[in-house]
Amino acid sequence: MHKIDLNSYKEIIENYLEQYSLKNFPSNLTDSAHHIMTLDGKRLRPIMVLMSYLSYDENYQKALNAAIAIEVFHNFTLVHDDIMDEAEVRRGQVTVHQKYGVNKAIVTGDAMLPHSYNLLTLGNEDKAADLLAVFSKMAIEVMEGQQYDMNFETTDFVTPEEYMEMIKLKTSVLFGASMEIGGIIGGASEDDRSKLYDFGLYTGLAFQIMDDYLDAFGDPKTFGKKVGGDIVLNKKTFLLTNAMKLATAEQKARIEALFNEQDETTKIEQFKALFTEMGIPQLCIDKMEELHNLALERLRGTTISDEHKERLEYLGDVMLRRVK
Amino acid sequence: MHKIDLNSYKEIIENYLEQYSLKNFPSNLTDSAHHIMTLDGKRLRPIMVLMSYLSYDENYQKALNAAIAIEVFHNFTLVHDDIMDEAEVRRGQVTVHQKYGVNKAIVTGDAMLPHSYNLLTLGNEDKAADLLAVFSKMAIEVMEGQQYDMNFETTDFVTPEEYMEMIKLKTSVLFGASMEIGGIIGGASEDDRSKLYDFGLYTGLAFQIMDDYLDAFGDPKTFGKKVGGDIVLNKKTFLLTNAMKLATAEQKARIEALFNEQDETTKIEQFKALFTEMGIPQLCIDKMEELHNLALERLRGTTISDEHKERLEYLGDVMLRRVK
């Protein structure tokens, strides 16, 4: 395993974000956009753009604008998602709409989206057509996924297949596009581009299932969010959709009863016991393994050097907490 | 004056909108997007794209995707504006967020924006760099203008200059960009492009001032909206910002008192009397004339044929109600 220092990439991204991410952004919207852009995040998506690019070429400056375009886009979706979820806190800080009002939060996001388009092709105008095609397709899919997710709130029965389709659209295509965009700028072939996209997509899917798993079975000390948050909200996750599908009549009745359980601690405990009894944790682990293997298979099929394959593999391992 | 049949252009646009405006749009957002896209509108902006293009080339099909990109963008802003204004009705129909909920309306707009980018360059990939530069700059300015406008609600004193800057950003740059985008696709020179943009911009400014004027002094039978709507809301318009600037101490006191007048009919009557006493209607007419002349001066400076200059002049006259 080629252990690499991801912090050095994060530092490059953070420095560039600081200087350029809101250059030429409207002055009356800079405070609110700055608020979301400077929350402490892992910057996984722009790091993906950078590392994908670096697999083809050393001059990483060429990929920085596109990398921050992806981060600006991601942060635009966070601003609007927090409005829709009525979230008060994001990464330990007050959300944009709580601090600046819903209307300003809507407009801030609406300006960040065309701003991300501006950044995407800046300095790589010769590759604009390919970059735009990948970016716009992804952006529209993310919105389709967001609406899909909202529809789940009022749907009684969501299948695991529908759930997988939703997280593919809402979160994973952005990881796929990040990889492909880095590849486009680096000069990757059509075939490599498509495999890089799949590597990002499958890693993103596994990442989301891990997030669902940790919400129930994670260590409260390291998870970062409140354990059991999804359970309390009866949220349709990979765990719940599979449990609903596999449940016997008796188990289904217990699930239905737990949906209305008012004591949060009891609800979390009993849902976890039920999930364990049904083998759901192992199902999560198997699915993550399957997706991780698909991601690696695609990565290995590219023409990039073994050293850079190992670097990208390491990035995936960090995302999926397979390494410390 | 070259009277032309604008309805034939509108028909071309409407037919194309019907078939292609939501092609490849997410199926779970088509109903809400379709709702706003099919409200009866004048389609002025896509007509501008088409007529600007036709000033250079006959094959108008080349400009249709960009024309509907502009209309999709415009409709995205309407969906989000209606959320922010808490508007219940738009063009006699229920607004998107009233019909489908605020969250779906946010996501619908968020998907319409990248969709409009997709349409913008479709079939004109060779001109993508110029099209994108004009479009993104415009899109970000529109958001800046929207925020500017919202800030006015909590600002006691707005100068006419600040007001003009706001309407330039919020509404006029879209008319400018529509003209320029038609020109880009038609092969206009840099110099023509800039003059076409100015023609659209100045016509758009005059159009907005006319709207402000008609809100107070329009004929209730033909205005289309409720006369006095802005007055009731104490909205900072071209009329009010100029009145505030020119008012004597006594007039200022009357304005302040009228802001709190509860009887709507009295409030509208007395504001109109005060505006008339202060010469504000003439000020509007003079300003529209000035802007109209600037627009024509720019148009006349282009290299396009006299016939097409007259056509565009006629479009401006229709917009500004100078012809029936």
Side-chain angles (χ1 to χ4, degrees):
Chain A
M1 176 53 57
H2 196 100
K3 186 170 156 81
I4 51 163
D5 181 16
L6 286 180
N7 274 326
S8 65
Y9 293 118
K10 190 180 167 190
E11 215 168 286
I12 291 169
I13 298 289
E14 296 272 355
N15 287 338
Y16 203 72
L17 279 170
E18 178 97 20
Q19 285 181 69
Y20 296 105
S21 68
L22 296 174
K23 204 180 159 190
N24 298 323
F25 200 72
S27 60
N28 61 6
L29 295 168
T30 299
D31 51 356
S32 45
H34 188 260
H35 180 75
I36 184 77
M37 290 299 301
T38 52
L39 292 186
D40 187 35
K42 293 188 285 292
R43 312 298 188 189
L44 288 174
R45 297 157 192 82
I47 289 175
M48 268 198 169
V49 177
L50 219 55
M51 288 182 65
S52 180
Y53 173 86
L54 283 166
S55 304
Y56 296 88
D57 196 82
E58 286 179 10
N59 177 21
Y60 70 82
Q61 282 87 350
K62 288 232 22 127
L64 278 171
N65 285 322
I68 62 173
I70 288 282
E71 187 67 5
V72 170
F73 174 83
H74 175 57
N75 278 270
F76 138 66
T77 67
L78 298 181
V79 173
H80 281 195
D81 282 5
D82 283 342
I83 298 171
M84 295 185 263
D85 294 342
E86 300 179 15
E88 293 180 7
V89 176
R90 151 103 36 209
R91 292 176 193 147
Q93 301 282 323
V94 63
T95 48
V96 172
H97 66 101
Q98 282 282 317
K99 184 160 183 174
Y100 298 96
V102 168
N103 286 0
K104 185 161 179 174
I106 292 176
V107 179
T108 302
D110 287 350
M112 288 171 79
L113 181 47
H115 187 64
S116 69
Y117 271 95
N118 259 342
L119 289 163
L120 178 69
T121 55
L122 192 63
N124 294 297
E125 287 76 9
D126 55 322
K127 287 160 178 142
D130 284 347
L131 292 171
L132 286 161
V134 172
F135 192 80
S136 287
K137 181 169 181 291
M138 174 278 293
I140 295 169
E141 285 177 342
V142 168
M143 301 314 149
E144 184 177 9
Q146 171 67 15
Q147 184 58 41
Y148 213 168
D149 192 20
M150 295 195 304
N151 289 347
F152 284 178
E153 288 167 24
T154 52
T155 310
D156 281 336
F157 191 73
V158 174
T159 67
E161 293 71 28
E162 288 168 332
Y163 178 76
M164 292 302 291
E165 178 66 15
M166 183 280 284
I167 61 170
K168 182 185 124 185
L169 294 166
K170 183 172 172 173
T171 70
S172 308
V173 296
L174 181 50
F175 289 107
S178 298
M179 288 299 301
E180 184 167 2
I181 282 168
I184 290 170
I185 300 173
S189 67
E190 284 277 348
D191 187 63
D192 270 18
R193 279 175 47 180
S194 143
K195 285 172 177 154
L196 290 168
Y197 180 90
D198 285 352
F199 170 77
L201 185 81
Y202 289 127
T203 305
L205 285 168
F207 183 69
Q208 183 61 47
I209 291 171
M210 181 189 69
D211 203 59
D212 287 2
Y213 172 82
L214 292 176
D215 182 83
F217 295 100
D219 180 345
K221 285 195 286 279
T222 57
F223 179 47
K225 286 184 267 189
K226 188 177 152 252
V227 169
D230 292 343
I231 292 175
V232 170
L233 295 170
N234 298 335
K235 214 172 154 197
K236 276 102 178 174
T237 61
F238 186 76
L239 288 72
L240 184 57
T241 55
N242 275 288
M244 293 284 277
K245 184 187 174 186
L246 300 172
T248 61
E250 180 265 335
Q251 286 166 330
K252 208 161 269 173
R254 279 163 67 195
I255 292 173
E256 302 283 355
L258 281 176
F259 282 156
N260 300 311
E261 171 61 52
Q262 294 303 305
D263 184 81
E264 288 194 3
T265 313
T266 307
K267 185 170 181 173
I268 294 169
E269 287 300 310
Q270 298 203 0
F271 251 121
K272 283 173 71 171
L274 187 67
F275 286 152
T276 306
E277 174 189 325
M278 296 180 72
I280 303 292
Q282 191 58 46
L283 208 76
C284 291
I285 291 163
D286 291 347
K287 190 73 181 177
M288 281 189 272
E289 198 64 23
E290 178 197 328
L291 291 163
H292 179 64
N293 285 335
L294 281 168
L296 289 187
E297 183 201 301
R298 293 298 197 280
L299 177 62
R300 287 175 188 149
T302 63
T303 63
I304 64 181
S305 72
D306 287 347
E307 187 198 328
H308 283 101
K309 279 179 185 164
E310 284 188 24
R311 284 170 179 265
L312 287 167
E313 186 173 336
Y314 180 77
L315 172 65
D317 284 347
V318 169
M319 282 177 64
L320 302 178
R321 302 196 183 195
R322 301 172 69 92
V323 290
K324 289 287 166 207
Chain B
M1 178 51 56
H2 195 103
K3 186 171 156 82
I4 51 162
D5 181 15
L6 286 181
N7 274 327
S8 64
Y9 293 118
K10 191 181 166 188
E11 215 168 287
I12 291 169
I13 298 288
E14 296 272 356
N15 287 338
Y16 203 71
L17 278 170
E18 178 98 20
Q19 284 181 68
Y20 296 105
S21 67
L22 296 176
K23 203 179 158 191
N24 299 324
F25 200 71
S27 59
N28 61 6
L29 295 167
T30 299
D31 52 356
S32 45
H34 187 259
H35 179 75
I36 184 78
M37 290 300 301
T38 52
L39 293 186
D40 187 35
K42 293 187 286 290
R43 313 296 188 189
L44 287 174
R45 296 158 191 83
I47 289 175
M48 267 198 169
V49 177
L50 218 56
M51 289 182 65
S52 180
Y53 173 87
L54 283 165
S55 304
Y56 295 89
D57 196 82
E58 285 178 9
N59 177 22
Y60 69 82
Q61 282 87 349
K62 287 229 28 120
L64 277 172
N65 285 322
I68 61 171
I70 288 282
E71 187 68 4
V72 170
F73 174 83
H74 175 56
N75 279 271
F76 138 65
T77 67
L78 298 181
V79 173
H80 281 195
D81 281 5
D82 284 342
I83 298 171
M84 295 185 262
D85 294 342
E86 299 178 15
E88 293 179 7
V89 176
R90 151 102 36 209
R91 291 176 192 149
Q93 301 282 324
V94 63
T95 48
V96 173
H97 66 101
Q98 282 281 317
K99 184 160 181 173
Y100 298 95
V102 168
N103 286 359
K104 185 161 179 173
I106 292 176
V107 179
T108 302
D110 287 350
M112 288 171 79
L113 181 48
H115 187 65
S116 70
Y117 271 95
N118 259 343
L119 290 163
L120 178 70
T121 55
L122 192 62
N124 293 297
E125 286 76 8
D126 55 322
K127 285 157 180 145
D130 283 349
L131 291 170
L132 286 161
V134 172
F135 193 80
S136 287
K137 180 169 183 290
M138 173 278 292
I140 294 170
E141 285 177 343
V142 169
M143 301 315 149
E144 184 177 8
Q146 171 67 13
Q147 185 58 41
Y148 213 167
D149 192 19
M150 295 196 303
N151 290 346
F152 284 179
E153 288 167 24
T154 50
T155 311
D156 282 336
F157 190 72
V158 173
T159 67
E161 293 71 28
E162 288 168 330
Y163 178 76
M164 292 301 291
E165 178 66 14
M166 184 279 285
I167 61 170
K168 183 186 122 183
L169 293 167
K170 183 173 172 173
T171 69
S172 308
V173 296
L174 181 51
F175 289 107
S178 299
M179 289 298 301
E180 185 167 0
I181 282 168
I184 290 171
I185 301 174
S189 66
E190 284 275 348
D191 188 64
D192 269 19
R193 280 174 47 178
S194 142
K195 285 170 177 155
L196 290 167
Y197 179 90
D198 285 352
F199 170 77
L201 185 81
Y202 289 126
T203 305
L205 285 168
F207 182 71
Q208 182 62 47
I209 291 170
M210 180 189 70
D211 202 60
D212 287 1
Y213 172 83
L214 293 174
D215 181 83
F217 296 100
D219 181 343
K221 285 196 286 279
T222 56
F223 179 47
K225 285 182 268 189
K226 187 176 153 252
V227 169
D230 291 344
I231 292 174
V232 170
L233 295 170
N234 297 335
K235 213 172 156 196
K236 275 102 178 174
T237 60
F238 186 77
L239 288 73
L240 183 58
T241 56
N242 275 286
M244 292 284 277
K245 182 187 176 186
L246 300 171
T248 61
E250 180 264 333
Q251 286 166 330
K252 207 160 271 175
R254 278 163 66 196
I255 292 173
E256 303 282 356
L258 280 176
F259 282 157
N260 300 312
E261 172 61 52
Q262 295 301 308
D263 184 82
E264 288 194 3
T265 313
T266 307
K267 185 171 182 173
I268 295 168
E269 287 302 309
Q270 296 203 3
F271 251 120
K272 284 173 71 171
L274 187 68
F275 286 152
T276 306
E277 176 189 323
M278 295 180 72
I280 303 292
Q282 191 58 47
L283 207 77
C284 291
I285 291 162
D286 291 347
K287 189 72 184 180
M288 282 188 272
E289 198 64 22
E290 179 197 328
L291 291 163
H292 179 64
N293 286 334
L294 280 169
L296 289 187
E297 184 201 301
R298 293 297 196 282
L299 177 62
R300 286 173 188 149
T302 64
T303 63
I304 65 182
S305 72
D306 287 347
E307 187 199 329
H308 283 102
K309 280 178 185 165
E310 284 188 23
R311 285 171 180 263
L312 287 167
E313 186 172 336
Y314 180 77
L315 172 65
D317 284 348
V318 170
M319 281 177 64
L320 302 177
R321 302 195 182 195
R322 300 172 70 93
V323 292
K324 289 288 165 210

